[in-house]
Every structure is written in C-alpha cells, then in structure tokens.
Amino acid sequence: MAGSTRLKVGVIYYVYVKREYWGLGYGKVLVASMEELLASKGSRVYVASTTSSNTRSRRLFESLGYRVLEWSVLEEKLGYDVAEALEAIACMYDDDVVMVKPYSSALLSRLRGVDYRGLWYRMCYKPWLDYRGYSKL
C-alpha cells in the first residue's frame, strides 16, 4: 500500500492464474480479495498496471470496475505530476496502461505533491536491491 496522509493507494502488482483455470473466475476472486485486504488497511483507491497488449488483464480489471487508461491519456487527464506519482507507486517499468478504481480526478489529484521518487525507491527499487542481495554490499 502506498500513499500519504493525502490518499492511500492500494497497488495490485501481479495477478496470475494458470491457463487451465482461465475463465473460471479465479482472477476476479484474487483481485477482489486484494481490494478487501487493502481496504482494511485504509486504501481508498486501487491501482494496477499492464501492457497495452495484455488484453486478458485489461478485461479482467475492466469487469471489476477499473478504468483502464493508456499512460499518455492518464498524463493528459491528471497532469504530469499525478501521473508520475501513480507510475512510481505502481512500479511501472515497461507497462503503458494503468488501471484505476475508482477513477476520480478529484480523488487522484490528492497525489499532487507526493514525493514519488522516494516512494519509488522504497517500494520498487530498494526491495529489488534487497532481493538481489545488492543492499548487503
């Protein structure tokens, strides 16, 4: 979960369902369970990201009420600073699509002024360094 006193954002990083279980609703159960857990921790907004070519993921999140936006559209609608904060919070590397629930410009604008570089370091880069063993050098 990321955010500040302004807004708590729950991030869903990966959802994976084995191919033989596709279409049985397991993806929806996983995402809904994560939303419930994140809500219990105070999240008011949920974010995930993917690539524009990942239509299965986009359809899954759309079916659960997420607004699916290409990165350029998000930046145009919310402004560079809010879009950058969401990108950092979601650890978007090669992803070009962001999925947000609920989508509310007023709510998301509360991310304006968030130290997204610090968030990115703490939530994305530092765990990666730790996992790779680089932080122990």
Side-chain angles (χ1 to χ4, degrees):
M1 185 166 54
S4 69
T5 57
R6 294 183 181 120
L7 178 66
K8 290 199 176 187
V9 178
V11 180
I12 300 172
Y13 286 107
Y14 298 102
V15 176
Y16 177 77
V17 176
K18 289 178 76 171
R19 183 178 292 266
E20 59 260 34
Y21 300 108
W22 286 3
L24 299 176
Y26 291 114
K28 288 181 180 182
V29 169
L30 288 170
V31 173
S33 297
M34 284 306 306
E35 288 176 354
E36 188 176 321
L37 175 66
L38 292 166
S40 74
K41 304 291 184 186
S43 290
R44 296 192 51 210
V45 173
Y46 311 104
V47 176
S49 66
T50 192
T51 60
S52 55
S53 62
N54 190 342
T55 55
R56 290 187 78 68
S57 179
R58 292 171 61 184
R59 282 195 309 250
L60 167 66
F61 281 89
E62 281 179 323
S63 74
L64 292 167
Y66 284 74
R67 177 113 178 244
V68 177
L69 299 161
E70 291 192 20
W71 179 251
S72 58
V73 174
L74 179 71
E75 188 177 345
E76 180 183 306
K77 289 185 175 291
L78 298 176
Y80 180 79
D81 55 342
V82 173
E84 282 290 307
L86 280 173
E87 179 183 39
I89 290 167
C91 299
M92 292 174 66
Y93 297 106
D94 295 325
D95 292 348
D96 58 350
V97 172
V98 65
M99 301 168 288
V100 182
K101 179 182 176 181
Y103 178 83
S104 162
S105 297
L107 195 58
L108 292 170
S109 70
R110 292 169 60 188
L111 291 172
R112 204 166 261 109
V114 168
D115 174 18
Y116 60 84
R117 288 180 183 97
L119 280 171
W120 175 82
Y121 180 82
R122 286 191 315 275
M123 296 185 63
C124 305
Y125 191 56
K126 174 99 173 60
W128 180 83
L129 288 174
D130 292 345
Y131 174 74
R132 294 291 198 179
Y134 296 130
S135 62
K136 296 175 182 143
L137 299 176

